[in-house]
Amino acid sequence: MDKIFLSPPHMSGREQQYIAEVFESNYIAPLGTFVDRFEESIKTYTGALNALALSSATAGLHLALRVLGVGEGDYVLASSFTFIGSVNAILYQNAKPIFVDSDESWNISPVLLKEAIAKAPKKPKALIVTHLYGQVCKLDEIMAICKEEGIYLIEDAAESLGASYDGKQSGTFGDMAVYSFNGNKILTTSGGGMLVSDNQAWIEKAKFLSTQAKEDFLYYEHKEFGYNYRMSNVLAAIGVAQMEVLSQRVERRREIFALYEKELSQTNEIMFMPEIGKSRGNRWLTTALLTHTDPNTLIEALEKENIESRPLWKPMHMQPLFKDARVTEDGTCQKLFEQGICLPSGSSMHDEDVYRICDVVKRVL
Ligand SMILES: Cc1ncc(COP(=O)(O)O)c(C=O)c1O
């Protein structure tokens, strides 16, 4: 039987045409018209005022921290329930993470966020909040806390491109935000990211740092160190083609989620990640909590049927790398990790694929 992958790339069909245009122009470089077009398309779709195409979302988070002045010894709050790419940049800057647990939304808990701030040895400079699996967090409360406390808000929208909150796109609420185009995301450029912000000066500074911090001279003059983080024009061509079908991809992922929910509605042993209040997620991955079954049993059973599935992210505060980090937790994301599963959710999946997966799920549960 054909393999069903968790979240494989789904091309629009225009990618190779645009790549051919790049080759014809010979701009096989981290600059060129497709980089500009990709940035414009992200701005148009999301409403962000400024965008910077980069080699990854991780690079974008690094630049965001650097631009916002987060450095050695500073504290940075972050969702504990996330992928390591959300928080590695805190270490790049020699800053210290403070991890915050989730609530019933599976995303960061505003209550525990307040508690973490109150307990911090000094005022944290920023919060990196993840919109987990494409579901937007409780932004009204999170934004109010950051404003009240004078803490920068950085949205890790790596997984939530196309998701919205109160009708506004995720990634346009914080001081800065990133989207990821890694191979498993809702759109992919095979690898890449976008940093966005309404603050033009910050994006200009990030652009300067992303291209080796070259001063404005004909010869090469440097006053500070930078990075080689810009996106290639070739990959941006893929991104432009992918952006043309973003709305369709969001709708298909939401349909797949709805199909799972319908097919598995008979069992009360599975609880899907909720969509809270004003959030309209992109359902990047359909994720669920198994109340009576070890997720590894289901993962193995699916694997035998040539179906890829995964556990949920292992919380950052449970990682050996962060054994000494500060954390405010109440066991919520640990429980989600121990009992949760990610089901195949690619937008190229057919309804029949979902039925095939649900048959295994029903049998195992
Ligand atoms: C929540 C989250 N943050 C950050 C990243 C890092 O993105 P990238 O691979 O583009 O660096 C990813 C995915 O890879 C992610 O899922």
Side-chain angles (χ1 to χ4, degrees):
M1 268 197 277
D2 287 348
K3 172 111 182 165
I4 303 179
F5 290 96
L6 189 72
S7 180
H10 185 183
M11 295 296 107
S12 73
R14 302 287 283 278
E15 288 80 2
Q16 283 179 315
Q17 179 195 325
Y18 292 163
I19 290 173
E21 286 179 34
V22 172
F23 275 73
E24 276 157 28
S25 73
N26 205 31
Y27 269 92
I28 318 289
L31 83 172
T33 52
F34 278 97
V35 173
D36 299 340
R37 277 175 63 181
F38 191 26
E39 289 171 349
E40 283 306 314
S41 66
I42 284 282
K43 281 159 57 179
T44 306
Y45 192 97
T46 64
L49 297 184
N50 306 278
L52 182 69
L54 298 165
S55 54
S56 69
T58 307
L61 289 168
H62 189 193
L63 291 168
L65 291 181
R66 177 103 186 255
V67 166
L68 296 176
V70 174
E72 176 130 29
D74 287 333
Y75 285 97
V76 178
L77 298 146
S79 310
S80 183
F81 201 27
T82 191
F83 174 62
I84 189 80
S86 301
V87 296
N88 267 332
I90 301 173
L91 303 184
Y92 302 167
Q93 285 302 96
N94 290 318
K96 296 177 188 165
I98 301 178
F99 296 115
V100 182
D101 208 336
S102 305
D103 63 11
E104 79 295 341
S105 69
W106 296 29
N107 272 310
I108 198 167
S109 155
V111 175
L112 296 180
L113 175 64
K114 278 192 115 160
E115 197 181 314
I117 296 168
K119 286 195 308 204
K122 67 175 184 184
K123 195 180 95 172
K125 269 214 172 141
L127 163 67
I128 300 176
V129 73
T130 301
H131 301 308
L132 197 72
Y133 300 119
Q135 298 292 101
V136 187
C137 73
K138 293 179 176 171
L139 273 170
D140 283 342
E141 283 145 281
I142 304 296
M143 284 192 304
I145 295 169
C146 287
K147 198 168 171 205
E148 194 181 303
E149 300 284 347
I151 292 172
Y152 288 123
L153 176 61
I154 302 169
E155 290 178 78
D156 180 349
E159 301 173 357
S160 69
L161 179 65
S164 60
Y165 185 83
D166 205 10
K168 196 169 175 268
Q169 288 291 306
S170 74
T172 59
F173 292 84
D175 293 290
M176 302 190 95
V178 293
Y179 303 110
S180 170
F181 311 106
N182 187 26
N184 62 5
K185 294 296 183 287
I186 192 158
L187 298 191
T188 186
T189 56
S190 89
M194 191 77 69
L195 178 65
V196 295
S197 175
D198 284 351
N199 186 315
Q200 192 182 348
W202 286 342
I203 292 294
E204 274 167 13
K205 177 75 188 196
K207 188 173 183 178
F208 169 77
L209 292 172
S210 72
T211 47
Q212 305 285 22
K214 293 192 278 266
E215 296 296 331
D216 200 11
F217 296 104
L218 192 54
Y219 50 87
Y220 293 94
E221 171 106 348
H222 304 275
K223 293 184 186 151
E224 56 186 319
F225 67 88
Y227 316 93
N228 185 1
Y229 277 170
R230 261 314 232 162
M231 177 180 273
S232 137
N233 201 34
V234 183
L235 300 189
I238 304 176
V240 170
Q242 289 271 284
M243 280 303 287
E244 290 172 2
V245 290
L246 175 56
S247 300
Q248 293 165 39
R249 298 299 185 250
V250 172
E251 293 319 310
R252 183 60 190 151
R253 296 232 180 201
R254 289 183 61 89
E255 266 172 33
I256 288 166
F257 170 79
L259 206 52
Y260 273 118
E261 207 178 30
K262 185 162 155 262
E263 279 299 297
L264 300 172
S265 61
Q266 298 302 328
T267 164
N268 52 9
E269 295 185 13
I270 187 161
M271 285 164 57
F272 292 97
M273 182 178 185
E275 186 163 58
I276 51 123
K278 299 177 181 173
S279 158
R280 186 179 196 272
N282 65 10
R283 292 288 182 194
W284 169 55
L285 292 185
T286 289
T287 54
L289 194 69
L290 308 181
T291 53
H292 291 75
T293 310
D294 180 349
N296 294 315
T297 311
L298 179 54
I299 291 171
E300 279 163 28
L302 288 165
E303 191 58 48
K304 281 201 189 107
E305 302 289 336
N306 217 11
I307 298 165
E308 185 186 25
S309 61
R310 291 273 172 84
L312 301 183
W313 299 129
K314 182 173 181 179
M316 291 303 110
H317 75 270
M318 292 173 68
Q319 301 288 349
L321 174 65
F322 293 118
K323 65 182 188 326
D324 299 324
R326 302 184 78 85
V327 55
T328 299
E329 55 105 13
D330 63 7
T332 301
C333 65
Q334 174 165 357
K335 181 175 158 215
L336 289 167
F337 164 62
E338 285 165 0
Q339 299 185 9
I341 187 168
C342 303
L343 293 168
S345 312
S347 47
S348 52
M349 271 168 71
H350 301 291
D351 288 3
E352 291 66 35
D353 297 326
V354 179
Y355 300 141
R356 194 177 125 198
I357 296 160
C358 287
D359 283 347
V360 182
V361 176
K362 284 180 206 165
R363 177 162 47 82
V364 172
L365 293 190

